[in-house]
Amino acid sequence: MHLITKNIYIKDIKSGAKISDHFLVAEKTLAYSQKGLPYLNLRLKDRTGEVEGKVWDNAHEWDKVFKKGDIVQISARALNFRNAVQLSVADVVKVDNLDIDPADYFPVAKQDIDEMFKDLMVFVEQVENSHLRALLDAFLQDEDILRLFKRAPAAKGFHHVYVGGLLEHTLSVVRLVDFAAHHYQGVNRDMLLVGSILHDIGKIYEFSYDSLIDYTDEGRLIGHIVIGLEMLDAKIATVESFPPQLAMTLRHLILSHHGVLEYGSPKRPKTVEALVVHYMDDLDAKVNAFQEFIGNSAHDSESDWTPFNRFFERFIYKGK
């Protein structure tokens, strides 16, 4: 099958250019001007970024042609609006998703997914406790869970927001807790490894990620911490004679990995292992968020600083 080839990516669009290419519709809303005239407000996306678009004419008719999450071919003129590029769209054609290369439109992990999973399995094979190892096998030999685990993002808008992001984040946290296990005396390395591998497992069901990354109904109503705990309990039940005390400490680690009540953890960390996983999880998420924000601001060469980051409530220094 011949896939559609993109001609230009969003990061390369300059004001004044005529655009005829394919983009993912990340947002679409029908709005009205001060004169009461309808127009479509669009946010178009590819793997390099996002750009705003406007459909000024025949908005009601165009509104029926495509929806949020579709891949569309647009004809447009790139304009400068408030120091940013905006597309004035004249024509839109919906495209079959089977005809496109998803890597052109959806950001993916920079590292190879299968290679990352191989690296993760090196740590899995080092787990010495037979019950914990059997538990990991129950998860990672489940084909449905494994398929989703390799594709899922780690978040919708904060960190590792791309296909394979959950696996990348999990592997990074595992490497960090492994360092901590060798640095601090008396820490249970098996618990750290298993806890870090499973701490975000509920995210495979918290998000939908076939096209746009968004929350599922289960994700909004229940959340990945409780989903992950339910998954953990179900798999523990399949492991013969799993020690109740071991199960309780692992359940506590999952419940407390966000660290504080206001971030969604029903409990704060009360074991050393839970504390280590929480801080390594938080560290990896925030470093990735910093780096991604700096990378997305790299095109602005006029300043050594990023735009204001609402989540971190600060400007971030890019360096010279």
Side-chain angles (χ1 to χ4, degrees), residues 123 126 170-190 192-193 196 276-277 280 283:
F123 289 99
Q126 294 173 16
T170 299
L171 177 59
S172 184
V173 175
V174 168
R175 286 170 170 160
L176 289 169
V177 302
D178 183 54
F179 172 81
H182 290 94
H183 184 72
Y184 296 108
Q185 292 185 353
V187 177
N188 187 323
R189 182 171 181 263
D190 280 357
L192 285 178
L193 293 179
S196 56
V276 170
V277 170
M280 296 307 184
L283 174 65

Side-chain angles (χ1 to χ4, degrees), residues 106-161:
F106 311 115
V108 297
K110 297 178 180 66
Q111 304 175 64
D112 181 80
I113 288 175
D114 289 331
E115 287 299 317
M116 286 193 292
F117 187 71
K118 285 181 182 178
D119 291 344
L120 184 68
M121 287 304 298
V122 171
F123 289 99
V124 171
E125 291 166 2
Q126 294 173 16
V127 173
E128 297 177 354
N129 183 287
S130 60
H131 294 99
L132 291 176
R133 177 59 193 272
L135 177 64
L136 285 182
D137 289 344
F139 272 99
L140 299 178
Q141 292 176 8
D142 184 318
E143 292 184 3
D144 291 334
I145 288 177
L146 185 58
R147 174 177 53 84
L148 297 174
F149 180 60
K150 287 183 173 183
R151 277 192 49 79
K156 180 179 182 293
F158 176 41
H159 69 99
H160 299 87
V161 189

Side-chain angles (χ1 to χ4, degrees), residues 34 48 86 121 150 160 185 205 213-214 230 255 286:
Q34 292 181 344
T48 68
Q86 185 181 95
M121 287 304 298
K150 287 183 173 183
H160 299 87
Q185 292 185 353
Y205 299 125
I213 296 172
D214 206 347
E230 292 174 342
L255 283 172
K286 287 179 176 174

Side-chain angles (χ1 to χ4, degrees), residues 68-252:
K68 176 181 175 179
D70 285 343
I71 301 292
V72 295
Q73 180 176 0
I74 69 161
S75 298
R77 168 79 72 174
L79 307 172
N80 188 303
F81 179 71
R82 294 180 179 175
N83 297 319
V85 171
Q86 185 181 95
L87 301 184
S88 180
V89 179
D91 187 68
V92 185
V93 178
K94 181 181 175 182
V95 175
D96 192 326
N97 284 21
L98 296 176
D99 294 333
I100 59 98
D101 182 353
D104 283 335
Y105 305 91
F106 311 115
V108 297
K110 297 178 180 66
Q111 304 175 64
D112 181 80
I113 288 175
D114 289 331
E115 287 299 317
M116 286 193 292
F117 187 71
K118 285 181 182 178
D119 291 344
L120 184 68
M121 287 304 298
V122 171
F123 289 99
V124 171
E125 291 166 2
Q126 294 173 16
V127 173
E128 297 177 354
N129 183 287
S130 60
H131 294 99
L132 291 176
R133 177 59 193 272
L135 177 64
L136 285 182
D137 289 344
F139 272 99
L140 299 178
Q141 292 176 8
D142 184 318
E143 292 184 3
D144 291 334
I145 288 177
L146 185 58
R147 174 177 53 84
L148 297 174
F149 180 60
K150 287 183 173 183
R151 277 192 49 79
K156 180 179 182 293
F158 176 41
H159 69 99
H160 299 87
V161 189
Y162 38 79
V163 173
L166 178 59
L167 174 57
E168 181 183 294
H169 169 59
T170 299
L171 177 59
S172 184
V173 175
V174 168
R175 286 170 170 160
L176 289 169
V177 302
D178 183 54
F179 172 81
H182 290 94
H183 184 72
Y184 296 108
Q185 292 185 353
V187 177
N188 187 323
R189 182 171 181 263
D190 280 357
M191 180 62 68
L192 285 178
L193 293 179
V194 176
S196 56
I197 290 170
L198 298 179
H199 78 285
D200 270 346
I201 196 65
K203 288 184 175 180
I204 68 173
Y205 299 125
E206 182 175 40
F207 300 112
S208 59
Y209 34 91
D210 287 333
S211 58
L212 292 171
I213 296 172
D214 206 347
Y215 286 97
T216 61
D217 292 343
E218 190 177 10
R220 289 192 185 279
L221 293 172
I222 301 174
H224 76 274
I225 291 178
V226 175
I227 295 170
L229 186 67
E230 292 174 342
M231 295 173 68
L232 179 66
D233 288 343
K235 291 302 184 185
I236 284 176
T238 69
V239 179
E240 186 176 357
S241 303
F242 199 98
Q245 183 73 20
L246 188 63
M248 183 169 61
T249 53
L250 185 54
R251 294 173 81 238
H252 169 72

